Amino acid sequence: MEHGLLWLPLLVMFFWLAWQGSKEYQKVEAYRAWAEQFERAKYDIYAVLGQKGNNVTWGKPTPKGPVKLKTFSLLDLKEIYLLVDDKKVDLEGIPEKGRCIELEFLFSESTDSVRVPFTEIPLAAEWGKFLQGALESLRKQANQ
């Protein structure tokens, strides 16, 4: 009897972990279906991000699919910054650690900005470099 009572919390924890794993699997599968429409996409526990042409779409992943989706055009951007713990970081010299990692998109026409959270600094830096390059090539095309 007492052995059964000792194993009961472990059994409960096992079922809870299995349920959490199932929810995460559903999120990834919903993301996979959503991401097919984009040229480039990323998934992590904080946000999904997709880029197609000049448009960037981001939102929050859920088991039923991404929600709170917002889209903006690279043509409307003034600057892209990598923020680690709310401080601007150079995309070439990234820190190894940080608690709050975000890409900040500043718009030309307004003082508003969009902050997309990331779980890993190298992944955020890679996306920042890619989108910065796309933004620069769009500006060169506009000037020609």
Side-chain angles (χ1 to χ4, degrees):
M1 173 78 175
E2 56 195 44
H3 290 289
L5 291 175
L6 291 174
W7 285 99
L8 185 61
L10 188 59
L11 185 63
V12 169
M13 172 122 16
F14 173 77
F15 282 111
W16 181 80
L17 284 173
W19 178 71
Q20 289 293 323
S22 172
K23 273 183 46 178
E24 194 61 33
Y25 178 76
Q26 290 172 347
K27 282 184 189 179
V28 171
E29 287 302 309
Y31 159 76
R32 186 174 288 132
W34 175 80
E36 288 177 356
Q37 63 185 314
F38 296 100
E39 297 165 5
R40 183 177 168 110
K42 80 98 176 166
Y43 168 87
D44 68 27
I45 59 174
Y46 295 134
V48 294
L49 182 69
Q51 180 262 332
K52 183 175 183 178
N54 295 337
N55 292 326
V56 176
T57 302
W58 74 281
K60 183 172 176 36
T62 67
K64 294 185 176 154
V67 296
K68 299 180 182 175
L69 293 173
K70 296 179 183 172
T71 301
F72 59 87
S73 173
L74 289 174
L75 298 170
D76 297 334
L77 291 180
K78 183 169 80 174
E79 291 292 332
I80 301 172
Y81 295 113
L82 173 60
L83 302 176
V84 177
D85 297 329
D86 291 324
K87 295 177 185 161
K88 292 179 189 172
V89 174
D90 181 28
L91 290 172
E92 300 301 324
I94 59 173
E96 292 182 22
K97 294 181 181 179
R99 290 179 165 248
C100 181
I101 305 146
E102 298 172 313
L103 275 181
E104 181 178 36
F105 300 94
L106 298 175
F107 297 99
S108 305
E109 299 296 319
S110 68
T111 58
D112 293 341
S113 69
V114 169
R115 288 186 174 191
V116 178
F118 282 76
T119 54
E120 299 176 10
I121 296 173
L123 181 61
E126 181 184 321
W127 268 91
K129 288 176 190 175
F130 174 78
L131 293 173
Q132 190 75 28
L135 181 59
E136 288 172 11
S137 72
L138 285 173
R139 287 179 180 162
K140 285 179 185 175
Q141 289 175 1
N143 290 334
Q144 291 179 355

